[in-house]
Every structure is written in C-alpha cells, then in structure tokens.
Amino acid sequence: MYKAIVIRLLPKDEVPTKSQAKLFWQNIGTARWTWNWGLAFQKKSYSEFEEILSVYELKREFTEVRNSEKFNWLQEVSHHVEANALIDLDRAYKNFFRRLRAGKKGGMPKFKSKGKCTPSFCTRSEKVKVDEQDRIYLEKIGWIRFKAKENLTGVKFCNARVKFENGKWLLKCAVEALPEKSEIILRDVNMGIDVGVKSLAVVSCGGRKRVFKNINRSHKMRRLTKQLKHHQRILSRKKKGSKNYLKEKYRVQDLYGRIKRRRHEYTRQTASKIVSMKPKVIVLEDLNIQGMMKNRHLARAVAEQNLYLLRTLIERKAASSGIEIKFAGRFYPSSKTCSNCGHVKKDLKLSERIYKCPECGEIIDRDFNAALNLERLA
C-alpha cells in the first residue's frame, strides 16, 4: 500500500539560498522546455506523416537533441526531469484520445508558458533520502531542510514531484505504508448518508440524525471568499509581467490555497467522524457528479462541496475499519419516498425542504428522510 504525502521544503522561517533557488528554477524551466519541444515535435510529426510517436520513440529523438552541442545546457539537470516531462506529455495525449473516443470535446495538450503553468518538475524517487537532521536529499540539488507530519526515516519514496505553490516549495510523493491491523468492534446498526448542497451530509445511524454543515456558509469561509474577490479585482488592473502583478498574483494564489485546504480538511474530518460511529454497513448514493455540474445554477455549489472526495475518503477509511460499503441505484428515489409508509411523491420539488407525505401525513426533514431510506436499503 502507498500513502500520498506532501512535504514542505524549507520551513517558514527559512528561504532558499541563491544556488538552491537557481537549481529549482533551472529544473522547472528544463521540464517546461522539454514538454514544449515534445509537443512541437508531435505536431510536426502529425502534420507530415499523420501519426503520433510513442513515448519511447520521442525519448529516442530527444536523446539526440540533448547530446548536441547547441543544447548542452540540458545536461546540467537530471535526465529524469526531462524523461518525465515527455511521459507527462504522452499521458496527456492518451487522455485526449480517450475523451475523443468517449465523444467528449477539449483536452488537447497545449504549450506551457512561463507565467501561467504550475512550476513543477519530477525528481528521481530512488535518490530521495532523509537523514536524522531533518534534511532531504534530491538528485543534483543536494540536501534541503524540510517539514513533514510523518516520520520519513528509512521509507521508500515513489513518484516524487517538486512544486512551487502559493509561494511555497512542496515535495509531493507517495510512500510505502503498511496496512493498519486494528481490531475494531462494530455496532449492530446500519447507516445511510444523504449528501447535498444545503448540508454536506445528513446521516441516519440506527435511526438517529446527525448533520454535517456546509463549511462554505461559515463566517470564516465567506470572509476568505470576499478577500479573494477583492484581490482578484486588484490583480485584473495590474500590468501583466510587472513586479506588482506578481505580488498580487501570489496573494490570490495564497487565498486560493487557504480556501482549498480548509475545505479539504473539513471533508477529511467529516469522513473520520462518520466512520468513527462504527456501523456494520454504510449506504451511499451513486451520484452523477458530472451531470450535476452541468446545471449552471448548482455547478459552483456542487464543486465547493468536494462530494467525490468525501465518498473516496469514506470508502478508504471504512475499508481499513472493516465496514461494508453499499451504493443505492443512481435512480433510486431516496428523497421522494416516504420513510414511514413507502409512498413515492413524484412531484417533489427541489425547493421543498420539508417532506409532507400525502398518504400517511408524515412530516419530516427532506434530507433526513432520504438518509433513513438509504439506511433501510442495507
């Protein structure tokens, strides 16, 4: 099993030396140049011969370029950086053709510009190692101080990638993690979870209701969103490429990062609290998230809720605890069905937040009614 982690290179009270910063940006620039070279070569190949080269053929062509005297500066960084840029390009083409076969539009690989793409590069995972002085070694860069939540002494790294996000240097990678063997005694109850926009999740566990609120409606998140809009307006008035433009751009990126981290952390906490109730079975809805995103009135609210991330985390945490996961059918009318008598109210509108059954007279919260119906499907 592998576990994804994020390592903060150069803690907050430190800054990279001129030599370290130069090496970081040199690797980033080389990776971007290699991607653009590979994309230009693929387009030329397709225009002349109507074929796209495989990643192995592309690497063979790039080796000749790398060994030429004109581009000898490419040898100053690790060959792994350039090889992974071509692998990323090949993966982008495969995803593009997969979308075309599925009848979808867009997704054609594009050239990367210096100011718009995310600065990143891959480093050789086999060379990454950690010492006892809280330093991490990267190939052709050297030892760098880092900060991480996990104990990384003696672990094996996989798919290591350095990124510059929100003014911070991050190493995103996967490490080998042994499965946790813990004996958890589960309760003899089932659980139904109804997710939505008004509340992140309404849970019925053994008939008891628990509501997890929408964090995007909290005071702190509204304040951060207001600040983001304010700085976006300021950024739109700055001259592109100027120092003040870059300063304001980093402020906007920092606010984006803070909002994203708050949402993700709340989603993780919600998933942990749900699994900590220890039911035997958890029943979830098989929602069509892509279809919901096509509704222009709800798309933004659905995207901010991180519904797919919540589902993934619940599945992962439930599997480690021995809890069975079941999914209701995509067209199962959980909200329209009365949890008391089973009558299906076909004309239920989205604006009706209280469910009133015309058969038995049951009056109940709409989301809790759906959660009860999902619980009984177990």
Side-chain angles (χ1 to χ4, degrees):
M1 290 182 63
Y2 285 89
K3 178 183 178 183
I5 62 171
V6 179
I7 301 171
R8 171 78 183 276
L9 302 176
L10 304 161
K12 191 174 181 180
D13 56 338
E14 298 184 21
V15 293
T17 61
K18 289 185 178 181
S19 59
Q20 285 177 331
K22 183 180 178 181
L23 288 172
F24 277 138
W25 290 111
Q26 188 176 8
N27 279 268
I28 288 170
T30 304
R32 185 178 63 251
W33 188 91
T34 306
W35 167 285
N36 291 337
W37 175 89
L39 182 56
F41 196 90
Q42 291 283 36
K43 288 190 173 186
K44 182 181 178 182
S45 174
Y46 187 79
S47 64
E48 293 180 358
F49 308 105
E50 294 188 356
E51 64 175 358
I52 298 295
L53 301 182
S54 68
V55 65
Y56 305 105
E57 294 171 328
L58 199 61
K59 283 182 180 180
R60 196 179 303 117
E61 295 289 341
F62 182 77
T63 301
E64 298 179 4
V65 175
R66 191 173 191 268
N67 294 333
S68 64
E69 294 183 0
K70 183 179 180 181
F71 300 104
N72 56 0
W73 52 270
L74 291 170
Q75 299 183 14
E76 296 178 6
V77 302
S78 171
H79 178 65
H80 192 78
V81 174
E82 301 149 354
N84 268 272
L86 297 178
I87 291 172
D88 291 342
L89 177 63
D90 183 66
R91 188 183 299 114
Y93 265 109
K94 287 179 179 177
N95 292 335
F96 169 64
F97 291 127
R98 175 178 52 81
R99 282 190 287 267
L100 281 183
R101 287 191 295 268
K104 299 179 181 178
K105 297 181 180 179
M108 179 72 177
K110 298 179 181 179
F111 290 102
K112 293 185 177 181
S113 62
K114 186 175 181 181
K116 293 183 179 180
C117 67
T118 303
S120 67
F121 66 92
C122 281
T123 184
R124 194 183 297 273
S125 303
E126 298 82 7
K127 298 286 185 178
V128 178
K129 53 186 177 181
V130 176
D131 66 0
E132 297 178 353
Q133 301 177 1
D134 292 335
R135 297 187 306 170
I136 192 167
Y137 179 81
L138 302 179
E139 186 184 18
K140 286 202 173 184
I141 293 179
W143 292 97
I144 304 170
R145 297 194 63 83
F146 75 95
K147 184 178 181 181
K149 296 180 180 179
E150 297 83 0
N151 182 15
L152 302 177
T153 306
V155 302
K156 183 179 178 181
F157 294 86
C158 178
N159 194 22
R161 188 182 294 263
V162 177
K163 287 190 174 184
F164 184 69
E165 291 183 356
N166 308 327
K168 304 176 183 67
W169 290 101
L170 305 175
L171 176 65
K172 297 188 175 183
C173 57
V175 296
E176 283 188 341
L178 296 175
E180 298 179 2
K181 297 181 179 179
S182 57
E183 297 181 0
I184 299 176
I185 301 175
L186 302 179
R187 298 161 56 200
D188 190 19
V189 292
N190 299 324
M191 178 186 288
I193 304 175
D194 179 72
V195 296
V197 175
K198 182 181 178 182
S199 301
L200 175 59
V202 177
V203 175
S204 173
C205 185
R208 293 189 176 183
K209 179 182 178 181
R210 185 166 182 182
V211 180
F212 295 93
K213 298 180 180 180
N214 184 351
I215 190 177
N216 299 297
R217 297 186 177 185
S218 65
H219 174 69
K220 290 183 178 179
M221 289 297 291
R222 286 181 173 177
R223 186 181 61 187
L224 284 174
T225 306
K226 189 176 180 180
Q227 290 178 7
L228 177 62
K229 290 180 180 179
H230 173 69
H231 286 285
Q232 282 177 326
R233 291 192 192 99
I234 296 176
L235 179 64
S236 66
R237 300 187 188 104
K238 300 293 182 183
K239 183 180 178 181
K240 288 188 177 182
S242 65
K243 290 185 177 180
N244 287 332
Y245 177 86
L246 292 176
K247 288 179 184 179
E248 199 62 38
K249 180 182 175 182
Y250 289 143
R251 289 194 189 100
V252 171
Q253 289 178 348
D254 181 58
L255 285 169
Y256 265 120
R258 288 167 64 184
I259 292 172
K260 179 182 176 181
R261 286 192 296 272
R262 282 180 181 271
R263 286 176 183 156
H264 282 211
E265 185 61 29
Y266 181 73
T267 307
R268 293 188 184 94
Q269 291 174 359
T270 302
S272 297
K273 290 176 182 177
I274 287 172
V275 175
S276 66
M277 297 181 193
K278 302 176 184 178
K280 288 193 305 181
V281 182
I282 296 178
V283 183
L284 296 166
E285 292 178 294
D286 185 19
L287 296 176
N288 181 14
I289 304 296
Q290 288 186 345
M292 296 168 67
M293 290 293 292
K294 291 179 181 179
N295 186 336
R296 63 187 182 90
H297 299 290
L298 295 175
R300 181 176 179 180
V302 171
E304 290 176 347
Q305 286 291 68
N306 289 331
L307 297 181
Y308 187 78
L309 176 63
L310 178 64
R311 168 178 165 169
T312 304
L313 291 173
I314 291 175
E315 288 181 17
R316 188 186 305 164
K317 293 176 183 293
S320 62
S321 302
I323 300 173
E324 184 183 357
I325 294 288
K326 290 185 178 181
F327 290 97
R330 181 163 291 185
F331 300 102
Y332 174 69
S334 59
S335 297
K336 296 181 180 181
T337 304
C338 177
S339 58
N340 186 38
C341 67
H343 173 73
V344 179
K345 189 177 180 180
K346 295 183 179 180
D347 58 344
L348 184 68
K349 297 179 181 179
L350 187 62
S351 59
E352 296 180 36
R353 305 314 305 173
I354 302 298
Y355 184 89
K356 298 178 181 179
C357 181
E359 291 291 325
C360 64
E362 177 76 5
I363 299 176
I364 188 173
D365 179 70
R366 174 201 180 106
D367 297 331
F368 183 52
N369 177 66
L372 282 170
N373 289 324
L374 292 171
E375 179 188 351
R376 288 164 187 170
L377 280 179

